[in-house]
């Protein structure tokens, strides 16, 4: 028959198992707000039964020997977790894009009385007034003032856009450094997880930390994750490989660092980075992709602004050089010479001819008289031609005003599209996170129920041990204590 201590051992197994279960509940509650944490559950199992030896045993059945905890598992839906990583990459890209495009839109300050659009209108209106009164010194001074104000508006917008680009590059470099740091940590955790699983353990805390790092990494780039498999057993060994755009960031316990060099991959619509060997790594999501795309779009806006300034300078100068000022000067440039084609930097460098600023009489409002005809001071033909540029096709069949309005419309549309995409993606991420929370999240009501259950089990096991102790005390100290010795 079993030992007298048999019941004590059974009670102890229940006590120890309940204590571990309560510890798991405590760990769940304490990590309810920990990013990447998945709730843990305990798996109870019967211990091996006590088999009475001998062939002549007539026991009615095997005696149980108690309970044990065979595993502490975390509750995860791997497919859902991977969906959230992909959605998080898209959301991060859209959020970054809408933020930067919003700054670009703010730089243009449209619609407003100080924006380029209004200043362009004021500039042509000033020449229209000059055409009607070419000898009026006050109107000539107004033309100069409006021209200077217009060039300042170009400078302000160009400088604001130019300041965005270095900031974007700095953010990309910081993100790449953060990416390299995260992948190094993931590789280290991969090694620790692999060793733990090989030893038959369940490294839940390490997996939670790796999941939190993967979430951070997905905010930077779009990920592809592959579970490594033990070639001998065909089962996952706990380690993962992390890829982006076909490039391996993490393989087992090895991380491959990236260096920042932006590039266009395949086409201008596909952006990415270059690795240390010069291989192109296309990106489709994450903050880095959003920054690269925003940088390309801001450069496009800057280029269009330069095109507007370049064509404004050439159109006005080509007409103004054909006229004559009140002082008899001819072939005078109204704006300083622009940069060479295609006009890169024209918006930042556009300026009114210093000679005209010093002497507004040099404004060529009149056409050059044909000899022997004398100069007619009231002739405002050239000023009228410049004023008509407001509605004349100058850039690809569009007037200067129409070209600028189209640029503002494009920026507004791009910004609104990015905002809409960011809002929609936020809803998708929220829905997926809600599903994930229902699977892996800690529910305080559920944990309270489990705590009460394990607490009652613990109390019951303690009572069993107390009873077993009382039995043993009776056997050891009670039996024969008051018996009378037999005479020899």
């Amino acid at each position: 028959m079993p030992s007298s201590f048999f019941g004590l051992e059974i009670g102890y197994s229940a006590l120890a198992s309940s204590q571990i279960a309560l510890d798991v509940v405590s760990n769940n509650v304490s990590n309810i707000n920990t990013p990447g944490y998945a709730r843990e559950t305990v798996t109870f199992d019967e211990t091996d039964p006590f088999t009475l030896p001998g062939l002549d045993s007539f026991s009615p059945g095997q005696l149980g020997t108690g309970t044990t905890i065979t595993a502490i598992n975390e509750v995860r839906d791997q497919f859902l977790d991977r969906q959230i990583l992909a959605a998080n990459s898209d959301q991060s890209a859209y959020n970054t894009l809408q933020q930067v495009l919003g700054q670009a839109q703010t730089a243009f300050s449209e619609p407003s009385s100080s924006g380029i659009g209004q200043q362009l209108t004021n500039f042509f209106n000033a020449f229209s007034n000059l055409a009607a009164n070419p000898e009026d010194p006050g109107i000539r001074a107004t033309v100069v003032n409006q021209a200077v104000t217009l060039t300042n508006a170009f400078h302000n917008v160009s400088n604001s856009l130019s300041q965005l680009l270095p900031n974007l590059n700095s953010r990309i470099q910081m993100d790449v450094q953060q990416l390299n740091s995260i992948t190094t940590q993931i590789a280290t955790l991969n090694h620790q997880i692999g060793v733990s699983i090989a030893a038959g353990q369940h490294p839940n805390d390490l997996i939670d930390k790796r999941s939190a790092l993967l979430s951070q990494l997905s905010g930077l780039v779009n990920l592809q994750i592959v579970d490594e498999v033990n070639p001998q057993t065909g089962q996952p060994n706990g380690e993962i490989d992390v890829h982006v755009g076909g490039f391996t960031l993490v393989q087992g316990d090895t991380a491959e660092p990236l260096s920042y060099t932006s590039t266009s991959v395949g086409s201008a619509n596909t952006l990415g980075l270059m690795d240390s060997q010069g291989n192109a790594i296309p990106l489709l999501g994450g903050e880095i992709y959003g920054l690269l795309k925003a940088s390309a779009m801001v450069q496009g806006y800057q280029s269009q602004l330069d095109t507007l300034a370049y064509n404004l300078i050439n159109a006005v100068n080509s007409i103004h050089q054909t006229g004559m000022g009140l002082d008899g000067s001819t072939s005078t440039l109204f704006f300083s010479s622009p940069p060479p084609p295609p006009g890169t930097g024209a918006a930042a460098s556009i300026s009114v001819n210093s000679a005209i600023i010093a002497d507004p009489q040099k404004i060529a409002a009149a056409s050059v008289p044909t000899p022997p005809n004398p100069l007619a001071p009231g002739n405002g033909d050239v000023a009228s031609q410049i004023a008509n540029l407001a509605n004349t096709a100058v850039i690809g069949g569009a007037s200067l005003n129409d070209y600028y309005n189209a640029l503002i419309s494009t920026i507004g549309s791009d910004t609104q599209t990015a905002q809409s995409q960011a809002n929609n993606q936020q809803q998708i991420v929220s829905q997926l996170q809600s599903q994930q929370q229902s699977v892996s999240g800690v529910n305080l009501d559920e944990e309270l129920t489990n705590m009460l259950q394990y607490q009652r089990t613990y109390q019951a096991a303690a009572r069993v041990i107390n009873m077993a102790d009382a039995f043993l005390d009776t056997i050891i100290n009670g039996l024969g204590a008051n018996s009378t010795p037999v005479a020899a």
Side-chain angles (χ1 to χ4, degrees):
M1 62 178 293
S3 164
S4 299
F5 293 94
F6 189 65
L8 192 64
E9 289 294 333
I10 293 177
Y12 173 75
S13 70
L15 196 71
S17 297
S18 298
Q19 179 64 64
I20 294 175
L22 285 170
D23 291 340
V24 170
V25 170
S26 177
N27 189 52
N28 283 339
V29 173
S30 63
N31 285 283
I32 187 172
N33 296 315
T34 301
Y37 181 79
R39 66 185 176 92
E40 296 176 341
T41 61
V42 293
T43 302
F44 291 90
D45 196 9
E46 293 180 290
T47 54
D48 293 334
F50 181 82
T51 303
L52 296 177
L55 297 177
D56 57 346
S57 174
F58 296 99
S59 172
Q62 292 180 324
L63 291 176
T65 59
T67 184
T68 187
I69 291 180
T70 57
I72 301 175
N73 297 312
E74 59 176 7
V75 182
R76 286 189 177 276
D77 184 334
Q78 189 178 87
F79 177 73
L80 185 58
D81 290 346
R82 302 286 168 85
Q83 278 188 307
I84 290 179
L85 293 179
N88 189 44
S89 293
D90 292 338
Q91 182 192 14
S92 183
Y94 294 143
N95 285 344
T96 302
L97 191 59
Q98 72 154 345
Q99 178 190 23
V100 176
L101 293 186
Q103 294 174 349
Q105 189 178 36
T106 301
F108 281 87
S109 299
E110 296 290 358
S112 72
S113 59
S114 61
I116 292 177
Q118 184 60 52
Q119 297 306 322
L120 201 58
T121 299
N122 294 342
F123 173 74
F124 290 128
N125 287 342
F127 266 101
S128 180
N129 293 334
L130 181 63
N133 301 281
E135 297 179 88
D136 190 323
I139 294 179
R140 284 178 173 268
T142 300
V143 169
V144 173
N145 289 336
Q146 290 294 346
V148 171
T149 302
L150 175 60
T151 59
N152 288 338
F154 271 104
H155 297 164
N156 292 337
V157 176
S158 180
N159 290 338
S160 296
L161 294 179
S162 298
Q163 290 173 3
L164 274 178
L165 295 175
N167 291 337
L168 295 178
N169 289 334
S170 296
R171 288 180 62 182
I172 293 172
Q173 291 176 354
M174 292 175 61
D175 282 351
V176 171
Q177 292 175 0
Q178 183 182 4
L179 180 148
N180 290 334
S181 174
I182 292 174
T183 54
T184 300
Q185 295 177 64
I186 291 176
T188 301
L189 287 172
N190 263 351
H191 175 73
Q192 296 173 351
I193 291 171
V195 171
S196 297
I197 291 180
Q201 300 175 354
H202 295 269
N204 298 331
D205 291 344
L206 297 177
I207 294 175
D208 290 340
K209 290 180 180 180
R210 188 176 65 184
S211 297
L213 290 173
L214 286 173
S215 180
Q216 294 180 38
L217 191 61
S218 70
L220 299 176
V221 291
N222 53 297
L223 306 176
Q224 297 85 43
I225 299 175
V226 178
D227 294 302
E228 288 195 356
V229 176
N230 188 321
Q232 297 177 348
T233 64
Q235 298 298 317
N237 62 9
E239 299 185 12
I240 59 172
D241 295 341
V242 182
H243 306 274
V244 54
F247 177 82
T248 301
L249 292 176
V250 179
Q251 185 171 20
D253 58 0
T254 303
E256 180 68 28
L258 280 181
S259 58
Y260 164 54
T261 304
S262 61
T263 183
S264 296
V265 182
S267 69
N269 294 325
T270 305
L271 301 171
L273 301 173
M274 301 288 287
D275 65 9
S276 56
Q277 285 75 38
N279 300 314
I281 306 171
L283 300 178
L284 297 174
E287 182 176 302
I288 295 178
Y289 171 76
L291 290 171
L292 289 172
K293 186 172 183 179
S295 178
M297 295 177 74
V298 170
Q299 290 180 51
Y301 302 151
Q302 178 75 70
S303 176
Q304 289 179 270
L305 187 66
D306 286 339
T307 298
L308 175 65
Y310 178 77
N311 283 275
L312 170 66
I313 294 170
N314 286 337
V316 172
N317 282 349
S318 62
I319 296 175
H320 193 268
Q321 285 181 294
T322 65
M324 177 179 290
L326 284 179
D327 62 352
S329 59
T330 58
S331 301
T332 304
L333 294 175
F334 185 85
F335 291 110
S336 299
S337 298
T344 302
S349 62
I350 183 174
S351 62
V352 180
N353 189 337
S354 59
I356 290 179
I357 294 177
D359 184 7
Q361 288 194 5
K362 293 185 179 297
I363 298 177
S367 57
V368 177
T370 303
N373 297 325
L375 171 66
N379 180 350
D381 293 345
V382 172
S384 179
Q385 292 178 43
I386 294 177
N388 289 336
L389 285 175
N391 302 308
T392 302
V394 176
I395 309 174
S399 68
L400 295 171
N401 283 328
D402 289 342
Y403 182 85
Y404 180 74
N405 291 336
L407 171 59
I408 296 302
S409 178
T410 297
I411 297 173
S413 176
D414 290 342
T415 304
Q416 186 175 12
T417 299
Q419 290 174 344
S420 177
Q421 290 174 327
N423 292 335
N424 292 338
Q425 193 63 29
Q426 175 62 54
Q427 294 180 3
I428 293 174
V429 171
S430 296
Q431 291 176 359
L432 290 173
Q433 288 177 339
S434 178
Q435 295 178 32
Q436 184 189 52
Q437 186 67 18
S438 66
V439 174
S440 303
V442 177
N443 185 299
L444 290 179
D445 293 334
E446 181 181 354
E447 297 303 322
L448 177 60
T449 300
N450 290 337
M451 183 186 70
L452 293 175
Q453 177 184 347
Y454 301 144
Q455 180 185 19
R456 294 297 177 83
T457 304
Y458 187 92
Q459 292 172 344
R463 293 287 297 273
V464 169
I465 292 176
N466 286 336
M467 292 299 296
D469 180 64
F471 295 156
L472 291 174
D473 181 66
T474 300
I475 294 172
I476 296 172
N477 299 317
L479 291 181
N482 298 320
S483 59
T484 303
V486 179

